[in-house]
Amino acid sequence: MAEPLSTDVLILGGGIAGLWLNARLRQQGFSTLLVESASLGGAQSVKSQGIIHGGAKYALHGALTGASEAIADMPRRWREAVAGTGELDLSGVRLLSPAHYLWSPGSLFGNVTSFFASKAMRGRVDPVSGSELPPALQHPKFKGKVYRLAELVLDVPSVIARLAELGGDSLVAAREVEPLREGEALVGLRLDGREVRAQRIVLSAGAGNEDLLQRMGIRQPAMQRRPLHMVMVKAPGLKPLYAHCLGGGPKPRVTVTSHPAADGQWVWYLGGDLAEADGVARNEAEQIAVAEQELRQLLPWIDFTGAQWATLRVDRAEPAQSGLVRPDNAFLAEAGNLLVGWPTKLALAPDFADRVLACLARDGIQPGEHAPLPPLPRPPVAQPAWEALLG
Ligand code: FAD
């Protein structure tokens, strides 16, 4: 039988939440083990669009919501991290775009325009035109209004790779996880049969949290899944575009991000309303047909000859909310030595880590003495979703 191990904090799940937290804890001198059952980043994180929201999207109705306030500081924190001057050193991570854009194809803006010019939004949303427009929109036939948001877009595979580097020898692959108890108290986990004791255990396994909680006999917090049916298109002539295209509703009609494929072409990744309810109900061929029609209508000058199309189904995992309302912050709940949560957005991973660190500080948890780790199986880093589907 494998020798038992001990650590300060045992983290389950190596998506953005677990990896960011792990790096922060190690930086503060804690000993950690992060357990991943599949590939690092491979569930939601590398399938995300990589937008580091500052909340402007949620102000489309002309009112700042809780969401707008809570995530307003995330672009700054990530920008500093990517510049190598922030709370984590993410230098080397690829910044895909220093800004995300809001684009209205018609005259939809109406009173939203004056709201964007208001004090509340100053410095967060600026109108752009002419040569300042994103390259894909610079065409004589382009009509509409474009606003530049103070948000950035990151190449998530490079974020995951960098955080995996910062994780050093703390990352471990294991499939079977069982609770390790002393009396009623959870004192650690059994990972593929090996006992690991820890001062605190954090579940950051995304959709996997549901099953882990069930296996530990814990009912709360409940989780919700929000299914999405995303679309990808790769074509030789595509130029990068990072924009929410507004429709009439509260959500963007389509959100386009662009990702570099290994063959040098750009992949457009399409989310927003297109990928939600009606999109989820469509089969792959129908979803591609609708996406193609949307793009041809919105951007008739773009040549999709020879394009490769694919769709990707993925669930967003979040704490249960009434009416599937989008949560405003990273979410963390506690049950004794166990902490469980969801960042709810890639952008909010720093907020998730803050919440865990605050609990440790409140409980007076300090780095302890632990024997050096033996060699442990390391989980692989996930491949970008577009390489698997359009490679
Ligand atoms: P995940 O990335 O899902 O990671 C959980 C990890 O836990 C996985 O690696 C999984 O294999 C592992 N795991 C599961 N079960 C176990 C177990 N039993 N033991 C060990 N490990 C386990 N957010 C933004 O801020 N900006 C965006 O542009 C954006 N776009 C998105 C687009 C899409 C299509 C989707 C689906 C989400 C998007 N999001 C975005 C949301 C964002 O991706 C998620 O909120 C975030 O990635 C969740 O991170 P996580 O670490 O909690 O979960």
Side-chain angles (χ1 to χ4, degrees), residues 13 15-17 36-37 43-45 48-51 316 343-347:
I16 194 70
E36 170 55 51
S37 61
Q44 295 166 85
S45 297
S48 82
Q49 294 193 277
I51 306 163
R316 285 181 79 143
T344 76
K345 286 176 189 65
L346 180 98

Side-chain angles (χ1 to χ4, degrees), residues 12-18 35-45 47-53 174 177 204-208 212 215 228 230 269 314-316 342-348:
L12 262 80
I16 194 70
V35 184
E36 170 55 51
S37 61
S39 60
L40 297 167
Q44 295 166 85
S45 297
K47 294 173 188 151
S48 82
Q49 294 193 277
I51 306 163
I52 304 302
H53 304 285
V177 178
S204 57
L212 286 166
R215 270 195 269 163
L228 296 172
M230 307 288 287
Y269 192 28
V314 54
D315 289 347
R316 285 181 79 143
W342 296 269
T344 76
K345 286 176 189 65
L346 180 98
L348 286 164

Side-chain angles (χ1 to χ4, degrees), residues 11-20 34-53 57-58 71 78 100 152-154 156 160 172-177 189 191 203-212 215 226-230 244 255 257 259 269-272 275 312-318 341-349 352 380 382:
I11 303 169
L12 262 80
I16 194 70
L19 286 168
W20 186 287
L34 180 149
V35 184
E36 170 55 51
S37 61
S39 60
L40 297 167
Q44 295 166 85
S45 297
V46 294
K47 294 173 188 151
S48 82
Q49 294 193 277
I51 306 163
I52 304 302
H53 304 285
K57 179 173 88 163
Y58 305 104
I71 64 175
W78 280 88
H100 194 64
L152 50 158
V153 187
L154 294 177
V156 179
I160 299 293
V172 53
R175 293 203 155 269
E176 289 301 317
V177 178
L189 296 173
L191 304 175
L203 304 189
S204 57
N209 280 350
E210 194 171 41
D211 177 56
L212 286 166
R215 270 195 269 163
R226 204 148 44 86
L228 296 172
H229 194 185
M230 307 288 287
H244 299 300
T255 296
T257 49
H259 305 269
Y269 192 28
L270 312 176
L312 171 71
R313 288 187 188 273
V314 54
D315 289 347
R316 285 181 79 143
E318 300 165 338
W342 296 269
T344 76
K345 286 176 189 65
L346 180 98
L348 286 164
F352 180 81

Side-chain angles (χ1 to χ4, degrees), residues 42-343:
Q44 295 166 85
S45 297
V46 294
K47 294 173 188 151
S48 82
Q49 294 193 277
I51 306 163
I52 304 302
H53 304 285
K57 179 173 88 163
Y58 305 104
L60 291 183
H61 272 331
L64 281 175
T65 62
S68 325
E69 315 266 24
I71 64 175
D73 203 26
M74 291 302 141
R76 178 192 64 81
R77 291 177 69 174
W78 280 88
R79 209 174 276 122
E80 287 176 5
V82 170
T85 58
E87 60 212 68
L88 289 178
D89 180 2
L90 297 191
S91 44
V93 162
R94 184 165 177 181
L95 177 67
L96 291 176
S97 176
H100 194 64
Y101 294 83
L102 206 53
W103 147 46
S104 166
S107 54
L108 276 168
F109 263 111
N111 52 13
V112 176
T113 311
S114 54
F115 170 69
F116 280 166
S118 74
K119 201 172 155 202
M121 298 303 284
R122 203 168 296 155
R124 292 169 69 184
V125 180
D126 299 305
V128 291
S129 57
S131 61
E132 294 168 338
L133 288 171
L137 303 183
Q138 290 185 21
H139 192 274
K141 285 192 183 152
F142 174 74
K143 288 197 199 74
K145 289 196 172 110
V146 179
Y147 285 77
R148 187 180 198 274
L149 307 179
E151 302 185 344
L152 50 158
V153 187
L154 294 177
D155 174 49
V156 179
S158 69
V159 175
I160 299 293
R162 176 63 184 145
L163 289 172
E165 226 171 80
L166 295 177
D169 64 357
S170 68
L171 310 179
V172 53
R175 293 203 155 269
E176 289 301 317
V177 178
E178 291 163 70
L180 180 65
R181 296 190 192 278
E182 266 176 18
E184 290 293 294
L186 185 71
V187 294
L189 296 173
R190 210 171 265 116
L191 304 175
D192 288 344
R194 185 202 287 267
E195 278 187 14
V196 183
R197 286 170 183 265
Q199 303 194 64
R200 288 291 181 273
I201 296 154
V202 180
L203 304 189
S204 57
N209 280 350
E210 194 171 41
D211 177 56
L212 286 166
L213 285 171
Q214 214 168 39
R215 270 195 269 163
M216 291 179 187
I218 299 171
R219 284 166 163 259
Q220 293 293 333
M223 191 188 92
Q224 73 186 25
R225 288 168 199 263
R226 204 148 44 86
L228 296 172
H229 194 185
M230 307 288 287
V231 179
M232 289 175 192
V233 54
K234 182 161 90 169
L238 284 185
K239 292 177 184 162
L241 177 62
Y242 304 92
H244 299 300
C245 174
L246 296 184
K251 287 181 186 156
R253 172 171 168 182
V254 57
T255 296
V256 184
T257 49
S258 308
H259 305 269
D263 63 5
Q265 294 185 42
W266 285 96
V267 175
W268 278 12
Y269 192 28
L270 312 176
D273 212 28
L274 170 77
E276 303 222 5
D278 290 347
V280 172
R282 292 181 200 116
N283 66 29
E284 178 168 17
E286 290 165 346
Q287 180 70 339
I288 289 173
V290 169
E292 196 171 347
Q293 195 184 9
E294 277 283 79
L295 293 183
R296 286 192 196 281
Q297 194 190 342
L298 291 166
L299 304 156
W301 56 89
I302 294 195
D303 183 9
F304 289 100
T305 315
Q308 275 177 276
W309 297 82
T311 70
L312 171 71
R313 288 187 188 273
V314 54
D315 289 347
R316 285 181 79 143
E318 300 165 338
Q321 303 273 306
S322 52
L324 285 192
V325 176
R326 208 171 296 210
D328 293 354
N329 301 301
F331 174 92
L332 189 71
E334 298 176 71
N337 296 337
L338 185 74
L339 303 172
V340 52
W342 296 269

